[in-house]
Amino acid sequence: MAGTGIFTDILDGDVYKYYSDGEWKTSSSGKSVAIINPATRKTQYKVQACTQEEVNKVMEMAKSAQKSWAKTPLWKRAELLHKAAAILKDNKAPIAESLVKEIAKPAKDSVTEVVRSGDLISYCAEEGVRILGEGKFLLSDSFPGNERTKYCLTSKIPLGVVLAIPPFNYPVNLAVSKIAPALIAGNSLVLKPPTQGAVSCLHMVHCFHLAGFPKGLISCITGKGSEIGDFLTMHPAVNCISFTGGDTGISISKKAGMIPLQMELGGKDACIVLEDADLDLVASNIIKGGFSYSGQRCTAVKVVLVMESVANELVEKVKAKVAKLTVGPPEENCDITAVVSESSANFIEGLVMDAKDKGATFCQEYKRQGNLIWPLLLDNVKPDMRIAWEEPFGPVLPVLRINSVEEGINHCNASNFGLQGCVFTKDINKAMLISDAMETGTVQINSAPARGPDHFPFQGLKDSGIGSQGVTNSISLMTKVKTTVINLPTPSYSMG
Ligand code: G3H
């Protein structure tokens, strides 16, 4: 159970502690932040409302711990990461339980998130020892006008303090996708979890604590964004920010100093369906892509752009599958569970009502109970409807009928987002042309958008983000290139 067994240290009465200087602490604010269970709409957990002074302290320690961590051999850093991954996987049950309670993720998917996170940490440790153990060796005589008098050695060095801000929908997985690359590369790490998802994050951090990382190297600060949000992101000690979430990321980018940023800020992933597509394959991918975790994924299929000639058949197939989706509590592994908050449910409802007023065809009756919204497919959506452009982050999927491939590509490219997209066709040549024409970070051919496997590069264009993720790219982004040049008094050529 969450907060029990090896996790008792992280709880103070009914309030979870924050993690600083290798210890679990209670904030001097004497205040807490409530975490509302999306399904019951009652307070499920409480976390510390940390102060700006506590942030200062954490940053100070992160700076000093990083100096010795950078001198820790790579294999030792990797060893500790493997240890943390094993502890995390061994304790998947209580962590998954808190995911169920604070973000209403179906129980099975919650376990998957924890296991996937352990695998990501281990992969990152492996990849880190390989790519950080190598550098480049350059010779000066390859550039015109030079003799071989200079040997240039390049290696990758850490940035310093990395600030990680994951979103509510993958609080554990998208936290470790920032923590593990930062640590293997020799950085220290300050984690600011989302309010909903904070308790899962605190449990995950305790696994790193138990693995034996040095004091101050990892910290986890909880609290109100209004009090510590800007203070953290604009803190002078921070050398890199890795953020996943909504358009808050745009304002963070504008305020952040001259530091590397890794931002993933959502998408409006289009699914383009051509006449020759395998419609059964498309329908199952629309269900998986549009409705898993109730559509609360940045990579969810968020608009279907289908050729008019096959639209009726596809809509019928999707409707039949929507009818089979189960709706209810995450504990019972229902496919569709409550969305994360009441304001989110209200926002989704606003999009649905706008589509209704403007004449969209409702393939199911719109139904909502509290934060629980039944899956809804909206056909005949037109570009003047908000849902054609905005991301509901809920189980509501619009279908726009198109008369040409160009119309589909134009709709996709007119979006301010550019995360992923997908195209369904049996013609690989057409698929490649469409993929090249789509202004998105990734295009999936004959499958729904998805970030994983976690070592694949993952990036968005336009308002969808800055920088690329995926294990290798994250490690690279969290390092700098350092060169040392050996200057010889006379040219020297190895003769063989
Ligand atoms: O919500 C954003 C995530 O990066 C999506 O990850 O494709 O594994 O669901 P996923």
Side-chain angles (χ1 to χ4, degrees), residues 50-306:
C50 291
T51 64
Q52 296 188 350
E53 291 74 63
E54 284 156 351
V55 170
N56 278 336
K57 190 92 188 82
V58 150
M59 292 295 175
E60 211 178 283
M61 286 173 311
K63 266 170 82 174
S64 105
Q66 191 270 329
K67 300 274 179 257
S68 25
W69 182 242
K71 292 180 194 150
T72 304
L74 205 40
W75 67 265
K76 258 195 188 167
R77 293 184 216 158
E79 198 174 76
L80 282 172
L81 283 168
H82 282 302
K83 212 168 158 192
I87 299 172
L88 187 76
K89 282 167 128 182
D90 282 351
N91 292 284
K92 55 183 182 292
I95 304 176
E97 180 204 300
S98 47
L99 285 169
V100 169
K101 301 289 183 204
E102 59 183 343
I103 62 162
K105 185 168 274 194
K108 248 169 86 183
D109 296 346
S110 295
V111 173
T112 305
E113 176 170 346
V114 183
V115 174
R116 172 182 178 181
S117 302
D119 291 340
L120 196 160
I121 299 169
S122 296
Y123 191 97
C124 202
E126 294 294 327
E127 183 73 349
V129 292
R130 305 277 169 265
I131 64 169
L132 297 167
E134 295 181 337
K136 252 190 176 179
F137 174 56
L138 297 170
L139 295 163
S140 52
D141 64 307
S142 55
F143 198 88
N146 285 272
E147 283 285 5
R148 191 172 291 188
T149 51
K150 292 173 189 288
Y151 294 171
C152 180
L153 310 171
T154 73
S155 61
K156 286 189 170 162
I157 57 167
L159 297 174
V161 180
V162 174
L163 173 63
I165 310 180
F168 81 83
N169 62 347
Y170 284 95
V172 174
N173 183 261
L174 282 168
V176 304
S177 75
K178 304 170 190 316
I179 297 172
L183 295 179
I184 192 69
N187 300 289
S188 57
L189 194 286
V190 176
L191 174 67
K192 165 65 178 75
T195 298
Q196 239 136 332
V199 169
S200 317
C201 273
L202 293 167
H203 282 75
M204 173 271 294
V205 167
H206 194 53
C207 298
F208 282 82
H209 168 80
L210 295 173
F213 281 88
K215 280 181 171 218
L217 187 71
I218 306 166
S219 320
C220 186
I221 283 277
T222 53
K224 292 202 172 99
S226 55
E227 287 209 359
I228 55 167
D230 278 355
F231 193 74
L232 272 163
T233 54
M234 293 165 75
H235 202 285
V238 171
N239 303 110
C240 171
I241 302 176
S242 178
F243 174 92
T244 307
D247 49 17
T248 316
I250 297 179
S251 56
I252 294 177
S253 310
K254 287 181 181 152
K255 291 181 205 159
M258 209 175 70
I259 54 172
L261 300 175
Q262 190 180 44
M263 298 268 156
E264 199 267 275
L265 314 178
K268 183 73 184 170
D269 294 6
C271 171
I272 300 182
V273 186
L274 305 197
E275 286 108 333
D276 68 341
D278 173 343
L279 295 184
D280 290 312
L281 178 74
V282 182
S284 2
N285 273 279
I286 286 177
I287 293 295
K288 185 176 77 160
F291 296 102
S292 54
Y293 188 37
S294 307
Q296 298 175 107
R297 295 166 54 237
C298 53
T299 48
V301 169
K302 296 206 179 97
V303 57
V304 177
L305 303 164
V306 56

Side-chain angles (χ1 to χ4, degrees), residues 330-348:
E331 289 83 355
E332 289 172 23
N333 270 319
C334 289
D335 299 310
I336 304 295
T337 56
V339 295
V340 72
S341 64
E342 191 174 341
S343 63
S344 177
N346 291 343
F347 175 77
I348 298 163

